[in-house]
């Protein structure tokens, strides 16, 4: 019987092969996706599981960073391996090793020029708000007890499609080379009588951008910021002019398109 930790390889091939791993995770216990010197990360857990399974150090490249506490219902990472892997069996056995808050949804061989981060053409995030105390939502949605004008928030959201520079929503003192993003979708949907979801899609996102956008839209919904002032905030390119960042636990990376 094959050991549960035996490498899943076909030794007839020694060509370096690239694989996309699609996974999801509850980010509550992690300092984000990317490996941190002094924090627990999803990337480190995945690399550890691969190293146990394949019996050698493994490195994966993710489609992007997620902040501490942010979840993902769909994240993609790529792995380069010098032997052929059985994708279905590897995914199954990774799930046996990974902790309960990380799940591999699938794995597939891709061409060498496919890159989890640079080949992605769009990413979608969801942010969840609820307006009535609900013990089953507290870890994955943000409770706001004051009334919100979601029609005005949607008007402001549509304004984002008119702009490319989102410096006003970028965390200060980051090493980002450009604050240009192409936003193609930004809208609020009502899920039921007390739950709402914000959807935003763009080719790329800046650090802390979605939570800062949502915080500023909430200011619009509360009547603290007018639509004209919202436009002024975007055009100012100053983070200090925008609203506060919303809590991380209500944010999900939900889709990546290639």
């Amino acid at each position: 019987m094959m050991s549960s930790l035996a490498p899943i390889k076909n030794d007839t091939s020694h060509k370096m092969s690239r694989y996309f791993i699609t996974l999801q995770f509850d980010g509550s216990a992690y300092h984000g996706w990317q490996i941190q010197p002094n924090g627990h990360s999803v990337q480190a857990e995945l690399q550890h599981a691969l190293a146990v399974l394949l019996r050698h150090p493994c490195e994966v490249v993710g489609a992007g960073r997620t902040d501490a506490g942010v979840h993902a219902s769909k994240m993609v990472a790529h792995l380069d391996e010098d032997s052929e892997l059985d994708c279905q069996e590897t995914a199954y056995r990774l799930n046996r090793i990974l902790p309960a808050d990380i799940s591999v949804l699938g794995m597939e061989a891709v061409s060498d020029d496919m890159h989890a981060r640079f080949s992605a053409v769009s990413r979608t995030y969801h942010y969840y708000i609820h307006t009535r105390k609900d013990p089953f939502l507290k870890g994955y949605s943000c409770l706001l007890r004051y009334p919100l004008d979601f029609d005005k928030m949607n008007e402001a959201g549509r304004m984002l499609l008119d702009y490319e520079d989102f410096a006003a929503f970028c965390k200060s003192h980051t090493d980002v080379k450009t604050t240009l993003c192409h936003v193609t979708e930004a809208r609020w949907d009502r899920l039921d009588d007390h739950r709402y979801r914000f959807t935003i899609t763009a080719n790329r996102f800046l650090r802390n951008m979605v939570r800062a956008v949502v915080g500023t839209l909430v200011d619009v919904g509360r009547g603290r910021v007018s639509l004209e002032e919202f436009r002024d905030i975007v055009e100012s390119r100053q983070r200090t002019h925008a609203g506060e960042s919303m809590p991380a636990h209500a944010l999900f990376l939900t889709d990546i398109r290639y």
Side-chain angles (χ1 to χ4, degrees):
M1 180 179 294
M2 182 172 60
S3 164
S4 62
L5 299 183
I8 310 169
K9 298 183 179 182
N10 178 349
D11 290 330
T12 61
S13 172
H14 294 285
K15 179 181 179 294
M16 190 70 75
S17 299
R18 177 159 291 183
Y19 298 90
F20 268 20
I21 301 171
T22 303
L23 63 150
Q24 55 186 191
F25 57 84
D26 179 330
S28 303
Y30 299 96
H31 284 72
W33 158 262
Q34 190 166 359
I35 289 178
Q36 307 287 330
N38 299 305
H40 197 33
S41 73
V42 178
Q43 183 183 21
E45 284 287 355
L46 180 58
Q47 291 186 173
H48 170 73
L50 283 164
V52 170
L53 184 59
L54 302 179
R55 294 185 170 177
H56 63 77
C58 295
E59 183 175 344
V60 297
V61 176
R65 301 177 180 181
T66 56
D67 292 337
V70 174
H71 316 291
S73 55
K74 181 179 180 181
M75 175 59 142
V76 178
H78 76 243
L79 165 73
D80 291 328
E81 181 64 21
D82 64 1
S83 296
E84 185 179 339
L85 301 178
D86 180 323
C87 291
Q88 186 173 353
E89 182 70 7
T90 303
Y92 169 76
R93 286 160 68 179
L94 278 174
N95 278 327
R96 297 286 298 271
I97 300 169
L98 286 164
D101 52 11
I102 303 175
S103 173
V104 171
L105 300 175
M107 185 172 175
E108 62 178 323
V110 296
S111 61
D112 296 345
D113 60 350
M114 285 294 291
H115 192 284
R117 179 182 175 189
F118 298 124
S119 298
V121 295
S122 74
R123 297 157 172 84
T124 298
Y125 281 89
H126 285 157
Y127 195 91
Y128 292 90
I129 283 175
H130 59 291
T131 56
R132 186 183 73 201
K133 187 177 180 181
D134 188 327
F136 301 107
L137 296 177
K138 63 185 178 66
Y140 307 101
S141 179
C142 181
L143 174 61
L144 298 180
R145 300 178 184 273
Y146 36 76
L148 292 167
D149 186 335
F150 283 94
D151 289 335
K152 277 194 174 179
M153 291 161 70
N154 267 328
E155 283 189 65
R158 286 191 290 271
M159 291 181 185
L160 296 174
L161 279 60
D162 298 336
Y163 295 93
E164 291 188 338
D165 195 327
F166 292 92
F169 306 109
C170 181
K171 186 171 184 177
S172 302
H173 310 300
T174 58
D175 57 356
V176 64
K177 292 184 175 63
T178 175
T179 52
L180 300 181
C181 307
H182 180 51
V183 175
T184 55
E185 180 181 28
R187 75 174 191 277
W188 289 93
D189 293 303
R190 182 175 179 174
L191 303 181
D192 59 30
D193 63 345
H194 70 289
R195 294 191 305 134
Y196 298 84
R197 180 184 66 204
F198 179 62
T199 302
I200 184 166
T201 301
N203 64 327
R204 65 189 290 265
F205 287 93
L206 308 172
R207 189 174 178 189
N208 210 227
M209 175 176 163
V210 180
R211 290 159 58 201
V213 166
V214 173
T216 312
L217 290 175
V218 166
D219 283 345
V220 172
R222 295 183 71 181
R224 290 180 164 184
V225 171
S226 69
L227 293 173
E228 294 77 13
E229 289 169 334
F230 181 81
R231 191 177 289 279
D232 290 341
I233 288 169
V234 181
E235 293 179 357
S236 76
R237 302 181 66 249
Q238 298 296 316
R239 178 65 186 93
T240 53
H241 292 185
E244 294 183 8
S245 290
M246 298 293 283
H249 71 270
L251 180 61
F252 288 73
L253 173 61
T254 60
D255 197 16
I256 304 167
R257 298 292 178 93
Y258 291 90

